[in-house]
Amino acid sequence: MNAPLITPRFRIAPSPTGYFHVGGARTALYNWALAKRLGGTFVLRIEDTDAERNRPEWNQGIIDALAWIGIHADDSTFEGPYFQSQYAEHHVAEAQRLFASGTAYYCDMTPDQIQERAKAEGVTGYAGWSRELGLGPGPGRVLRFRVPEGSTVVNDLVRGEVTFDNATIEDFVLLRGNGSPMFLLANVVDDVTMRISHVIRAEEHLPNTPKQQMLWEALGHEPPVWAHVPLLVNEQRKKISKRRDKVALESYRDEGYLSDAMVNYLMTLGWSPGDEEIQPWATMQDAFALEDVAKSPAFFDLKKLAAFNGTYIRAMSVDEFVAATEPWCAQWREAHPEAVWNAEHFAVMTPFIQQRATTLAEAPGVVDFMFLPNPQFDETDLSKAWAVEDAAALVAETIAAFETCDWTHEAMKTAFDAIADAHGMKPGKAQAPIRVAITGRTVGPPLYEAMELLGRDEVLRRLRALPGGVHVA
Ligand code: GLU
């Protein structure tokens, strides 16, 4: 079972929760980068011992989320998934081995008795009261680890040497009163059995690490290399959590974040690939080192993530962008049965959409007016349109000019610039009523290009139909 370590073995050990936490994704990527570069193995172990949290679709969700960030189960670096619940007998057997060797002992005190005695003796928690009673197993008796005296030094590649005074660590429970294994025991026995050489995980597990290291040693093994990567915090510097923040990797996937952008951004949470943070995976895989990971919490900055995504979106070719946005465009079409979609027009507008969309999901909305029978007017923007000086005259003169000008965006621009000029106005400012008439909004993609595609008749119809003002046509 315990073959010599030839190649490093990494792992992630998520508990199924129904979604994959972005922090878990970052940890997975750090493990994956090292496993790939060092020719090692990346083990996926699903810690599914909580029967209530054990649904097959959740396990598939973990595998799908990993695949989305480039960690594919069919890659030769990948091993698993293993399911912790299948190894309960082995966990118990290993605990019995510790009992036989005297490093674990049975305790028959109930939580109430422990509380009472602790109160009476003025101590906190369980002070090893059953250590020397020589109890054997029995109903309701828990098996506790006999924490040795002294201190435990955890060598952590991120945090350095962290020393824990063993006096602060109580004799923790390995097997519950009903004989079932506790998390710490299962976690360590699995890591030992799976010959894990590197445990890289979130900082919140650091307080468990001295106990786990003691267990490794008691089971007769050299502890692994430990590395605890910094917490992810929100704008208020609070640990990001399901209650407060959007932490599910899947929700970013569903909103149209690109996996390459997400991967790149996640890698930078606590680590920097150099002066230029936007980097392809291969470069990050080559450069990533645990020694360079920061100790301080990493800000999970949604604005920065959006900026990363925008950068990746703009780097796509038209064909790539059209293909990538299609699922969201399909959703949009479904939600707007009245719309007449024109794939060719969407493709022509793509470079402009790429300038404006920070997610793929936003893409159809940037040019929705081109496909809807009528623009959806934003009330504020409509007022802004009419607040422009000479708005009615500008619209009327534009209608007249557009009835006859060449139907090219250049010709429309020339015609409109002349109208604005005659009113002593900057074209950008004078354009607002025209833009709102065509698109429903004051901001959007280049107007003349869009109008060229919409066609003369439709543009004139919309200009004549601009609601809410007195204008002659
Ligand atoms: N199952 C634990 C969790 O999801 C993982 C513990 C570990 O990585 O050692 O928090």
Side-chain angles (χ1 to χ4, degrees), residues 153-168:
V153 180
V154 170
N155 271 309
D156 188 295
L157 279 188
V158 174
R159 317 204 68 82
E161 253 186 25
V162 191
T163 304
F164 295 85
D165 179 358
N166 291 2
T168 63

Side-chain angles (χ1 to χ4, degrees), residues 11-15 45 47 84 183 187 191 199-202 204-205 212:
R11 54 56 146 189
I12 60 163
S15 306
R45 180 175 73 240
E47 300 208 318
Q84 186 158 69
F183 159 72
N187 180 267
D191 278 344
V199 171
I200 304 167
R201 59 185 174 187
E204 64 201 15
H205 293 291
Q212 291 169 321

